[in-house]
Amino acid sequence: MKRILITGGAGFIGSHVIRTFINRHADYEIYNLDKLTYAGNLENLRDIENNPNYFFIKGDIADDKFINQLFADYKFDGVVHLAAETHVDRSILSPMDFVKTNLLGTFVLINAFKNCWKDNFDGKLFYHVSTDEVYGSLSMHDKKFVETTAYDPRSPYSAAKAGSDHLVRSYFYTFKVPVIVSNCSNNYGPNQFPEKLIPLIINNIRNNKSLPIYGKGENVRDWLYVGDHADAIETIFHNGTAGQTYNIGGDNEMRNIDIVTLICDLVDQKLNREIGTARKLITYVKDRPGHDLRYAIDFSKLKNALGWTPKTNFKDGISQTIDWYLNNEVWMNNVISGDYQKYYELQYSNQNY
Ligand code: NAD
Ligand code: TYD
């Protein structure tokens, strides 16, 4: 029986990773450590919460004393580290939270892992989940990001994640801690907090609210279905090589405006109303400061080394995702807390709708 600590498991990607590990590894005890910030929601794990191999621990990864005690008590064999502050717009409004959790929190965790196993790391692994945003912004004709692309983060979110990637790698070279880092493109799917583009657009269409497009809507993201990301993480955790970095992507670059119009038309179709109804809600707003133009991931290293490719094509994935949000109104209403409403008002208060 192996003990695996998954951090941030009550969040969007973390909940899918926990489900994937629970379903595929009956011989693991899975511990979900999560602070339950506005983005953490145990509803995301209702279907597996009574599994005898699943345990939830509420706590902050940046709390040094608590984390060291946790490792002393449980001696986790492996860590899959996802806990983070994740929304770029929030990182512009309150960067301190991002430095505390993403940078300091990652340091506290890997340092506790090192202290726990000291010089004997046989069969142990610290897996750090990161983002393609650490590589910065591509122009339309630049080649895709590869693992050796120089880091060039441009938001407090991506800068704090970049720092955490460097710290994790430094523990491999300096202390021989077995680590793996993966950098993934934008995820979409069920259970994503509706501050991110896709669930925000679906929810606003449902509520007949305007659909804010930053700038001209020409920014490009490489979208990957969240279940495919969870599958990649599980594959890399078991078959990847310590000390290595793996890029994960969807081979699916799309402009924001094209995603939004596609969602508009699909929702109209699913609600049996005239196509074009939802598009009328599209509103161009002031651009995000430092808005990265394009992200695109070359994942050939992962494909060639471990045989992983995305399984869900975007048309199916986005259709299933829209169905999930339309069918889970209660989930949506519950996660839109007072905190989120206040933030939303602040974010858009000076934008020209
Ligand atoms: P999320 O915001 O949905 O969830 C983050 C989770 O971390 C929440 O459950 C929250 O409660 C928890 N958390 C936050 N601060 C914490 C702390 N101090 N201690 C313990 N728990 C804390 O995020 P997500 O979109 O699921 O992203 C998960 C990870 O994947 C992040 O590390 C992110 O950088 C990375 N990632 C995300 C994407 C994406 O498109 N969403 C893409 C690539 C990589
Ligand atoms: P987001 O989901 O915040 O992910 P990230 O910034 O990490 O890529 O945003 C995806 C893209 O959508 C990004 O180019 C910003 C844009 N966007 C909008 O145009 N309007 C919005 O309301 C949001 C939240 C994002």
Side-chain angles (χ1 to χ4, degrees):
M1 180 65 81
K2 278 195 162 190
R3 282 195 172 154
I4 310 294
L5 178 70
I6 300 185
T7 70
F12 167 48
I13 301 170
S15 59
H16 290 271
V17 170
I18 292 213
R19 190 171 295 104
T20 301
F21 272 68
I22 288 275
N23 288 340
R24 294 187 189 170
H25 299 279
D27 55 332
Y28 285 1
E29 283 180 352
I30 301 292
Y31 292 80
N32 173 14
L33 169 63
D34 200 296
K35 186 179 172 183
L36 298 182
T37 68
Y38 76 94
N41 183 358
L42 291 174
E43 283 298 322
N44 296 345
L45 292 160
R46 279 286 171 254
D47 55 322
I48 56 101
E49 69 181 358
N50 292 323
N51 188 299
N53 293 341
Y54 169 76
F55 307 91
F56 176 68
I57 301 165
K58 185 172 188 293
D60 185 343
I61 57 162
D63 182 340
D64 196 32
K65 203 168 156 218
F66 161 72
I67 292 293
N68 277 289
Q69 191 58 51
L70 198 66
F71 274 87
D73 290 345
Y74 290 95
K75 302 219 176 319
F76 300 110
D77 299 289
V79 177
V80 185
H81 173 37
L82 297 111
E85 289 290 340
T86 59
H87 190 36
V88 173
D89 295 321
R90 280 183 193 254
S91 82
I92 296 166
L93 288 172
S94 49
M96 183 74 93
D97 297 339
F98 288 71
V99 175
K100 278 190 189 153
T101 288
N102 300 3
L103 194 53
L104 180 64
T106 301
F107 161 72
V108 166
L109 262 189
I110 192 151
N111 200 50
F113 186 72
K114 170 182 98 57
N115 290 343
C116 175
W117 296 110
K118 300 201 169 59
D119 294 324
N120 186 1
F121 290 106
D122 280 357
K124 314 293 180 240
L125 182 66
F126 188 98
Y127 184 132
H128 177 60
V129 176
S130 192
T131 165
D132 61 355
E133 305 194 21
V134 298
Y135 297 123
S137 182
L138 295 169
S139 71
M140 290 305 175
H141 52 262
D142 280 337
K143 284 196 175 145
K144 297 178 179 193
F145 300 130
V146 290
E147 288 78 0
T148 49
T149 301
Y151 274 31
D152 185 21
R154 292 155 41 111
S155 72
Y157 163 64
S158 54
K161 289 295 291 188
S164 68
D165 294 10
H166 291 317
L167 267 171
V168 167
R169 282 194 201 102
S170 79
Y171 271 62
F172 175 74
Y173 294 109
T174 307
F175 303 111
K176 310 275 179 279
V177 177
V179 308
I180 290 182
V181 178
S182 61
N183 296 83
C184 186
S185 60
N186 286 62
N187 285 211
Y188 70 96
N191 307 102
Q192 188 169 31
F193 194 84
E195 63 189 353
K196 307 280 167 48
L197 180 70
I198 288 179
L200 180 134
I201 294 299
I202 299 169
N203 189 43
N204 282 15
I205 297 175
R206 189 175 63 102
N207 291 306
N208 209 28
K209 282 163 104 178
S210 64
L211 312 178
I213 310 273
Y214 298 168
K216 293 183 179 157
E218 287 171 352
N219 303 67
V220 170
R221 299 292 183 261
D222 174 359
W223 293 94
L224 176 71
Y225 189 67
V226 63
D228 284 331
H229 189 190
D231 178 54
I233 290 173
E234 194 268 345
T235 302
I236 296 169
F237 183 83
H238 292 96
N239 305 307
T241 302
Q244 293 291 312
T245 289
Y246 298 89
N247 278 353
I248 308 171
D251 207 6
N252 179 42
E253 288 183 56
M254 290 183 77
R255 296 189 314 165
N256 293 338
I257 186 63
D258 297 328
I259 297 248
V260 172
T261 48
L262 175 67
I263 294 174
C264 284
D265 295 354
L266 283 170
V267 174
D268 284 344
Q269 198 185 325
K270 286 172 192 290
L271 297 181
N272 290 319
R273 56 189 203 185
E274 198 184 334
I275 304 290
T277 309
R279 283 190 192 209
K280 293 194 183 112
L281 298 169
I282 292 176
T283 310
Y284 291 91
V285 299
K286 202 170 92 187
D287 209 355
R288 171 189 282 170
H291 194 174
D292 290 340
L293 179 64
R294 173 176 165 242
Y295 303 141
I297 277 275
D298 178 340
F299 59 89
S300 42
K301 175 175 171 181
L302 176 58
K303 187 176 168 187
N304 295 336
L306 306 183
W308 179 90
T309 52
K311 312 277 178 306
T312 313
N313 74 52
F314 188 74
K315 264 198 144 173
D316 294 341
I318 197 69
S319 176
Q320 285 164 25
T321 299
I322 293 170
D323 289 343
W324 190 87
Y325 287 102
L326 294 180
N327 293 331
N328 284 275
E329 267 188 64
V330 174
W331 181 93
M332 184 62 94
N333 293 338
N334 285 345
V335 297
I336 300 179
S337 63
D339 168 53
Y340 175 63
Q341 291 296 1
K342 266 188 267 148
Y343 159 76
Y344 193 78
E345 277 158 26
L346 183 65
Q347 188 188 18
Y348 294 113
S349 57
N350 60 356
Q351 290 186 337
N352 50 339
Y353 274 81

